[in-house]
C-alpha cells in the first residue's frame, strides 16, 4: 500500500448532499491534507435505480464552494482512473470469479420469487432474513453450464460460519464479530454491476486508498470487507468510522423527514464557511477552547485521535450562532454584497442599501431573516401608541408628543440630509430642551418605524427613509398622540 496517505470521497449521485455525507468529505479531505496526502473523488453509481440526473454536478459544485479541492477525480483525471464506478464495470467480475475459484464465493441462480418466499418464511417466524445457501453446493460444471445457457445469476461471498473476525478502527478500537452472524452478501448483481460492498473494496485497493473514512453505520459491514481483503491477500486499510449525526431528540437526520441538506442551508442564508466550521466540530474537538476555524487552520490541526465515538447532535441554534459570528466578522462591503439580494427582496422602494446593510449586520444571524426586518421601510403600519411609553427612557405619551413637535422644525431646517446631520440636530434639541437623550431618540424612532425593535436607531432609519418620508411619519405620530393625550 502507498506510503502516502490517500483518502477518498465516494458519494452516490442521488440528487443532494446529506449533512453527514458532507462531514465525511470534510474529514477525508482534512486527514489527507494534515498528512500531506491525496484526496480522491470517486463517483459510486453502481446502484443505477437511484441515480438522479444532474446529481454529479451537485457533487462537483458542493466540493468547489466548500473549498474541498480533490487531487484526482472524474473531472481532472489521475493515475488510477476511471473514477466513475459504472465506467469500471468490467473490472469487477474477474475479481469475483477469482474468489469463486479460491472457494470464497459462489454462483447463485435463485429466482426473485424464491428469495421473496424465503424472506416471507423468515418474517413469519420473526427472524432476520438470511440467505439459506441453496446454491452453495452447485458444482463448477453445473454453474458454468447454467451461465452459458443464459440463466440469470449473482455471485455471493461465502462467509465463514465459525469463529470470529476482528478489525481495528482508529475511533472505536478493536471490534470483534461472530462469523455466524455474517450473511453471504451479493458481490455481483444479476445486471452485471457490482454491489456497493464489493466495488468499494476493489476500488479502494486498486486506487491505493490508505484510509477508509465513513459513518459508523458501516461498522457492521467492515468484517465482510476485511474477509474480502484477506481472501485476495491484500493489505487492509486504516479504518476511521465517524460518529452518527443526530437531532437533539436522538433521531437520525433524514432528508425524507424534512431535515435540511447542504443546499437547503445555503438557500436559507447560512454561509459556507460557517457550515464547514460547524461540521468540523460535529464529532471532532480541538485541543483548545477555540471554536472559530477557517479551512486552512483545520488543515493544520485536525487529528483523527480527537474524533469522538459518541453521536454528535446537530443543533440548529448552534449553527445559527456560528453563522452570526461569521457575519459580524465580515467587512461591511463583503456583507453588503452577500446581503444585497435579501435586502432587495425585503424592499418595495428604491432606498440606499449600504446604510441598511450597516444597520442589520450586527443583528443578523441568518440571511433569510433580513427581508422580514425591513418591512417598516416600505410602509408605516398601524401601531399601538403604548410603545412610546418606556420606563428606562423616561418617556410617556405626553413627553413623546412634545419631543416630536420640537423635532419637526429642527429636521425641516436641515439642508444636508444624512445620518450625522440628523443625529446632530436631535442632539442639539436635547440640550436645548434640557431632556434625556432617550426622551427624544425613542419617540422619533417609534414614529419613523412603528416598531418596538428595529435594526437601526432613529437617525439611521431617518437617513434611509429620506427627509420627506421621515417628516411625514413624525407628523402622523404627532396627530395620533394629540388625539390620545
Amino acid at each position: 500500500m502507498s506510503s502516502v496517505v490517500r483518502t477518498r470521497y465516494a458519494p452516490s449521485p442521488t440528487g443532494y448532499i446529506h449533512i453527514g455525507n458532507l462531514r465525511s468529505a470534510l474529514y477525508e479531505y482534512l486527514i489527507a491534507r494534515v498528512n500531506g496526502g491525496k484526496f480522491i473523488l470517486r463517483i459510486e453509481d453502481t446502484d443505477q435505480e437511484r441515480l438522479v440526473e444532474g446529481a454529479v454536478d451537485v457533487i462537483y459544485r458542493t466540493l468547489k464552494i466548500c473549498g474541498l479541492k480533490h487531487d484526482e477525480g472524474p473531472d481532472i483525471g489521475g493515475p488510477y482512473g476511471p473514477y466513475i464506478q459504472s465506467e469500471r464495470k468490467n473490472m469487477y467480475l474477474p475479481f469475483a470469479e477469482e474468489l469463486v475459484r479460491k472457494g470464497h464465493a459462489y454462483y447463485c441462480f435463485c429466482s426473485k420469487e424464491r428469495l421473496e418466499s424465503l424472506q416471507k418464511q423468515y418474517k413469519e417466524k420473526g427472524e432476520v432474513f438470511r440467505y439459506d445457501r441453496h446454491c452453495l453446493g452447485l458444482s463448477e460444471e453445473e454453474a458454468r453450464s447454467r451461465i452459458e445457457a443464459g440463466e440469470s445469476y449473482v455471485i455471493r461471498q461465502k462467509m465463514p460460519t465459525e469463529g470470529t473476525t476482528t478489525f481495528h478502527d482508529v475511533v472505536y478500537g478493536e471490534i470483534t464479530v461472530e462469523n455466524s452472524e455474517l450473511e453471504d452478501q451479493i458481490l455481483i448483481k444479476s445486471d452485471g454491476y457490482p454491489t456497493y460492498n464489493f466495488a468499494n473494496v476493489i476500488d479502494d485497493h486498486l486506487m491505493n486508498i490508505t484510509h477508509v473514512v465513513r459513518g459508523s453505520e458501516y461498522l457492521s459491514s467492515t468484517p465482510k470487507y476485511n474477509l474480502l481483503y484477506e481472501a485476495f491477500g491484500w493489505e487492509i486499510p486504516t479504518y476511521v468510522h465517524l460518529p452518527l449525526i443526530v437531532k437533539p431528540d436522538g433521531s437520525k437526520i433524514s432528508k425524507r423527514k424534512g431535515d435540511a441538506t447542504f443546499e437547503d442551508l445555503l438557500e436559507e442564508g447560512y454561509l459556507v464557511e460557517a457550515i464547514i466550521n460547524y461540521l468540523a466540530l460535529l464529532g471532532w474537538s480541538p485541543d483548545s477552547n477555540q471554536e472559530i476555524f477557517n479551512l486552512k487552520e483545520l488543515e493544520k490541526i485536525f487529528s483523527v485521535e480527537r474524533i469522538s465515538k459518541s453521536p454528535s447532535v446537530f443543533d440548529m441554534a448552534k449553527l445559527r450562532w456560528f453563522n452570526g459570528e461569521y457575519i459580524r466578522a465580515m467587512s461591511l462591503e463583503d456583507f453588503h454584497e452577500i446581503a444585497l439580494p435579501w435586502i432587495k427582496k425585503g424592499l418595495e422602494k428604491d432606498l440606499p442599501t449600504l446604510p441598511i446593510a450597516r444597520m442589520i449586520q450586527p443583528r443578523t444571524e441568518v440571511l433569510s431573516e433580513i427581508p422580514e426586518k425591513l418591512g417598516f421601510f416600505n410602509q408605516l403600519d398601524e401601531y399601538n401608541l403604548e410603545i412610546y411609553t418606556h420606563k428606562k427612557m423616561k418617556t410617556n405619551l405626553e413627553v413623546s408628543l412634545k419631543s416630536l413637535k420640537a423635532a419637526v422644525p429642527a429636521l425641516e431646517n436641515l439642508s444636508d440630509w444624512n445620518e450625522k446631520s440628523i443625529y446632530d440636530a436631535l442632539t442639539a434639541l436635547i440640550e436645548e430642551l434640557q431632556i434625556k437623550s432617550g426622551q427624544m431618540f425613542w419617540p422619533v424612532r417609534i414614529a419613523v418605524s412603528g416598531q418596538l425593535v428595529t435594526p437601526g436607531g432613529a437617525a439611521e432609519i431617518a437617513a434611509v427613509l429620506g427627509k420627506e418620508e421621515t417628516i411625514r411619519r413624525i407628523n402622523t405620530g404627532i396627530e395620533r398622540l394629540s388625539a390620545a393625550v
Side-chain angles (χ1 to χ4, degrees), residues 22-63:
L22 181 56
R23 184 195 60 176
S24 294
L26 174 62
Y27 282 19
E28 287 152 359
Y29 171 85
L30 292 175
I31 289 169
R33 292 291 174 263
V34 81
N35 289 290
K38 300 288 186 182
F39 174 59
I40 291 88
L41 172 63
R42 184 172 77 222
I43 304 297
E44 301 204 332
D45 60 346
T46 56
D47 191 345
Q48 295 286 295
E49 293 179 2
R50 294 181 63 222
L51 301 188
V52 174
E53 190 175 347
V56 174
D57 292 331
V58 171
I59 294 166
Y60 290 142
R61 186 168 65 248
T62 300
L63 290 179

Side-chain angles (χ1 to χ4, degrees), residues 84-369:
I84 297 178
Q85 278 189 340
S86 59
E87 295 177 10
R88 301 168 66 85
K89 179 183 173 183
N90 296 332
M91 296 184 184
Y92 305 108
L93 184 59
F95 285 105
E97 289 174 334
E98 180 185 336
L99 291 177
V100 173
R101 290 194 299 273
K102 289 181 173 179
H104 295 294
Y106 59 95
Y107 297 102
C108 173
F109 299 90
C110 289
S111 67
K112 183 181 177 183
E113 291 72 24
R114 182 181 185 278
L115 293 175
E116 286 176 351
S117 173
L118 196 61
Q119 284 179 322
K120 187 178 177 183
Q121 292 173 32
Y122 272 86
K123 189 175 181 181
E124 288 172 352
K125 291 188 287 185
E127 297 177 3
V128 177
F129 171 73
R130 181 165 305 183
Y131 178 63
D132 62 358
R133 292 190 155 185
H134 179 73
C135 294
L136 178 60
L138 295 177
S139 67
E140 185 180 340
E141 294 75 19
E142 182 181 351
R144 185 58 54 196
S145 173
R146 292 174 73 169
I147 291 170
E148 289 172 357
E151 195 170 336
S152 179
Y153 71 93
V154 301
I155 297 180
R156 290 182 181 272
Q157 184 178 359
K158 180 186 175 185
M159 297 295 184
T161 56
E162 298 177 348
T164 59
T165 296
T166 299
F167 69 95
H168 179 78
D169 180 78
V170 172
V171 178
Y172 291 86
E174 296 288 323
I175 294 179
T176 300
V177 298
E178 297 290 332
N179 289 333
S180 58
E181 296 177 3
L182 304 177
E183 186 193 359
D184 288 2
Q185 66 175 347
I186 294 173
L187 304 179
I188 300 291
K189 296 180 286 186
S190 58
D191 61 3
Y193 277 93
T195 57
Y196 166 83
N197 286 331
F198 188 54
N200 80 68
V201 168
I202 303 301
D203 288 341
D204 285 346
H205 171 73
L206 295 179
M207 293 182 178
N208 251 334
I209 301 303
T210 62
H211 290 65
V212 172
V213 185
R214 57 186 171 220
S216 59
E217 63 268 30
Y218 291 103
L219 275 169
S220 60
S221 299
T222 303
K224 303 173 189 177
Y225 304 146
N226 276 13
L227 288 168
L228 288 171
Y229 279 107
E230 290 168 1
F232 285 118
W234 295 342
E235 188 177 343
I236 293 171
T238 299
Y239 290 115
V240 184
H241 285 87
L242 309 178
L244 282 174
I245 298 178
V246 298
K247 291 189 282 190
D249 65 3
S251 62
K252 284 182 67 175
I253 287 178
S254 167
K255 170 70 171 174
R256 289 189 296 275
K257 293 178 182 175
D259 296 317
T261 65
F262 174 67
E263 291 206 330
D264 290 335
L265 292 175
L266 293 185
E267 287 175 10
E268 287 176 31
Y270 287 90
L271 306 183
V272 173
E273 298 82 359
I275 298 170
I276 291 297
N277 191 160
Y278 182 54
L279 285 182
L281 299 174
L282 274 184
W284 171 82
S285 60
D287 57 4
S288 68
N289 292 326
Q290 183 178 341
E291 287 190 287
I292 304 296
F293 295 95
N294 61 39
L295 192 58
K296 289 295 179 189
E297 290 172 320
L298 290 169
E299 288 175 19
K300 294 172 184 170
I301 65 169
F302 189 85
S303 69
V304 293
E305 290 76 23
R306 298 192 66 85
I307 297 175
S308 169
K309 296 179 186 177
S310 305
S312 303
V313 177
F314 188 86
D315 184 351
M316 287 301 295
K318 186 69 172 177
L319 177 57
R320 282 177 62 88
W321 177 84
F322 271 101
N323 211 58
E325 290 294 303
Y326 273 85
I327 284 174
R328 283 184 284 279
M330 298 175 87
S331 68
L332 174 60
E333 291 71 23
D334 288 345
F335 175 71
H336 179 240
E337 184 179 343
I338 64 162
L340 189 57
W342 300 95
I343 293 173
K344 287 184 174 179
K345 191 175 179 181
L347 295 178
E348 297 169 6
K349 301 177 179 180
D350 186 17
L351 296 175
T353 55
L354 188 62
I356 292 176
R358 184 186 297 112
M359 272 188 257
I360 62 177
Q361 183 176 4
R363 301 167 178 87
T364 298
E365 286 194 318
V366 183
L367 297 176
S368 58
E369 296 171 349

